[in-house]
Amino acid sequence: MLGVARSRRLADMHLMIPNLTYEDRRRSLGRLALWWVETFSLIGRGGATGKPVTHSPEYIQFYLNAYALKPDGRRRFNRVSLWRPKGCNKSGLGNDLALFEAFGPCRFDHWAKPGETYTFLGQTYYYLPGEPVGRPVQRPEILCLATSEDQSGNIFDSIYYNCTSGPLAQLQGFGMEVTKTRIGLPEGGEIIPTTSGDASKDGGLETFALMDEVHLYTLPKHHSMYKTVQRNLPKRSLDADPWVLEMTTYFRPGQNSVAENTLKIAEDIQAGRSKHYKGLYFDYRYSTLPIEDFPDEKKLEHALYESYGSAAHSDDGKDYIILPDGRIEAVDADGYSVEGFSLRDDGVEPGPSKDGWVDIHGLMGQIYQPDSDPNDSIRYYLNSRASSEDSWLTEPAIQSHLAYRDLYGRAVGSSSRLDGVWKDFIDEDEEITLGFDGSIRNDSTALVGCRVSDGLLFLIKLQQRPDNADPDWRVDRDGFDAAVRRMFENYNVIGCFADAHFFESMIGGWEAEYGRGMKVYARGQSSMMKFWTNNWSQDMYRALQCAHSSFEYAPEPVEEGEPDPNNILLCADPRLVSHFRNAKRREKSWGYQIHKETPKSPHKIDACMAGVLAYAAREKYLGQFEDETPQRVMPQRVW
C-alpha cells in the first residue's frame, strides 16, 4: 500500500519561510506550550471529543517555530500563517493555542536556572537549564475571528467545551465566567468570537488573534477586519508581545483574499525583496499532481499522503515517513526506517500515522465523484495552486522541472545571496545562452542564462520596481549593461537574445563588441542579439512553443556531450519561479497571448520572458529553428 513512490518526485511538500535552525528552535517557548496543551487541553469537537490532545512531529515543529524567540526574549514572529489541507485539524490547533495564550505562561520572562519548575492546576513542568521560562500575559484579550458566526464557532465551541468540561473547568470557581459568547478570564481579560461586523471597530487591545480560513477573507469588510486587528496589536507590544495566527487551505487565485496577500509577503521575504519586515512565519504543507494523473489511483493516493502527512491514517498500525525521493517507508519504535532514515534527516517529512485521523481513501472517493471539480480537489485536498485556465504553465509542470532546491533554499531571504547561487554550478567553460527582457520604470528587468547541455534556466540579475518607489524611479541600465558584459567576458556565452524595446542602443553596443563571437544570432547578420518580442511573429511563436512543449515532459538526465534539445530545467530561485508562475494566457480566435494578470499587476513575468528568450537561443543553436518564414499572427506578450 505505502511502500511505492511516484515515478517522479513533484514537490518538496513542506515550505517554511524562514527556515529556522536548531538553535532557533532551542530558543523557543514551544516545548512548554506543547506540554501545557497536552496536559490541560481536550479535543472539543467531533467523534474524539473529550480525549487528550497529542501532537504529530509536524505540529511539534510548528509549535517550536511559532514560539521562537529573539535573543532578547521577544517573540520572533508577530504573524504566523499555517496552511494545511482540509481536515487537518487547524481549528483544533487554534483552540489549543487560544487556551495557552489565555491561561498559560506564553511570554518570555527569563532563562531557566537549574531546578526551576512551573506548576499549574497541580501539574508541574521541569525546565531545562537555559530554557526560556514563560509568564502569563496580564489581562489577555483573545479574538477568534471569522467571516461568519458559524465559522468562528468552529474554534470557540472547542474553547467553551474545555472551559466547562475539561481540566480548566475548575477555574470557574476562581473567577472564570463562561458563556456561549464570551469567556471571562480569572484575572481579567477575555476570549470572544467575532465576525467582520464586530471586529471592524477600532479600540481593541488584542494580545492574540485567531483568523480561521483566511482564503475566505475576500470582501472589503474582511480586509477591514484584518487591518483593524493588525492596527490594534502594537498598542500592547511592550507588555503582551501580541501576534496573529492565520490558518487556511489554499486560496482561489484572483479573489484578492488575505491568504493570497500573505503568500505574496512570504514570497517577498523568501526572495529578499522585503527589506524591513521579517515578522512573518509561513508554514505550508502541500503536494502537486497534474490533473491528467488524477485517474491514476496510486499517484493520487501518494499525493494525498504527501499533503496530509501524519494527519493521514495508516490502516496497518504503523507510522511512516516520506523520503526525499518520494518513497513512503515504515519506521520502528525509535522512528527509523530499514535504511536508517528518520525525521532528523533533511528532506524527510512525516507520513501517514497510526494516530492519524484522515481517511485518504475516503477523500479519493470524494475526488472521484463525477460532479467533483478537479481544481477544487487540488486546492482543498492537495492544498496546492489549482492552475487556472489562463495559466501558461501548470503548477505541476513547474514543480517537476525545478533544480537545485537545496542550494536556493539556503539562500532565501536575501536577493544578493540568491543572485550568486548559480555560480556554484555553472562552469566558466560550459556553453550558455542569455536572455534579456526589461522595462524602464513600471515593470521589472531580468537577465536569465540557459545552460546548453541540459536547458537549465538560471536567474543572473533581476530588478523590480519597489512597491513604494518614488515617481522618478528608473531601472539601473548601467547595472544590467555591466552584468551582461561580465557574462560575455567571463563565461562561454554562445548566444544572446534580448528584447530590444526600450534598450535598442544598449543592445546595439553588445552586438558591436561581442556579436561576431556568438555562435547563434537572433536573425542573421542584421540582428545578432536584438529580438523584437512583439513584432517577430514566427520567432516569438516558436520560442513560446518550444519552451512550453519542453515543460510538458519530465526532464531526463543528460549525458555529457549529448544535449537533449527538448530538455528544460528551472532553477529553484523563488524570483524566477514566481515570474514563470505569473505568466497568463489570453485566448484569441487565432491562438493566445501571454501576459500579466493586468497591465499594472505586481505579479511580474519579465524573468519568464527572458528565460524563454535564453531557451530560444539554445534551441536555435541546437538546430530547432530552421524555417524563419514570418507568420501573420502569433501568441505574443502584450504587457
Side-chain angles (χ1 to χ4, degrees), residues 144-148 151 194-196 210-226 245-248 255-261:
C144 303
L145 294 105
T147 57
S148 67
Q151 188 192 357
T194 187
T195 60
S196 54
L210 277 166
M211 300 190 177
D212 200 12
E213 303 296 5
V214 292
H215 69 282
L216 299 176
Y217 289 37
T218 59
L219 300 177
K221 64 179 181 179
H222 303 148
H223 286 275
S224 176
M225 171 180 71
Y226 190 89
L245 173 61
E246 306 169 0
M247 300 177 292
T248 189
Q255 288 189 331
N256 190 35
S257 64
V258 167
E260 189 166 7
N261 293 339

Side-chain angles (χ1 to χ4, degrees), residues 352-494:
S353 168
K354 63 180 182 296
D355 297 319
W357 59 90
V358 176
D359 178 11
I360 294 299
H361 296 98
L363 295 183
M364 293 174 66
Q366 177 66 33
I367 292 169
Y368 283 137
Q369 288 193 30
D371 58 352
S372 179
D373 184 345
N375 285 308
D376 285 344
S377 296
I378 290 172
R379 288 198 305 113
Y380 289 134
Y381 305 125
L382 299 186
N383 199 33
S384 184
R385 179 188 300 264
S387 297
S388 60
E389 292 182 0
D390 65 346
S391 293
W392 183 55
L393 297 174
T394 66
E395 185 67 13
I398 293 173
Q399 292 285 342
S400 62
H401 288 76
L402 293 184
Y404 299 105
R405 292 178 187 265
D406 293 342
L407 287 177
Y408 281 96
R410 291 194 288 270
V412 297
S414 169
S415 58
S416 60
R417 290 201 302 268
L418 286 170
D419 282 341
V421 172
W422 60 270
K423 297 177 183 177
D424 292 342
F425 49 81
I426 299 296
D427 295 332
E428 293 181 358
D429 58 347
E430 59 184 338
E431 294 179 330
I432 63 171
T433 58
L434 301 178
F436 174 82
D437 183 75
S439 178
I440 295 177
R441 62 172 66 87
N442 293 323
D443 231 321
S444 57
T445 299
L447 175 65
V448 174
C450 181
R451 188 161 60 189
V452 171
S453 62
D454 58 0
L456 175 72
L457 298 172
F458 55 98
L459 182 61
I460 300 169
K461 184 175 179 62
L462 175 70
Q463 188 176 23
Q464 188 164 307
R465 180 183 176 88
D467 291 340
N468 298 317
D470 295 331
D472 59 351
W473 183 89
R474 299 291 186 274
V475 69
D476 181 9
R477 293 170 60 97
D478 292 340
F480 276 94
D481 185 38
V484 172
R485 291 176 180 274
R486 282 195 299 270
M487 296 303 297
F488 285 138
E489 293 170 2
N490 298 312
Y491 289 87
N492 186 16
V493 179
I494 55 93

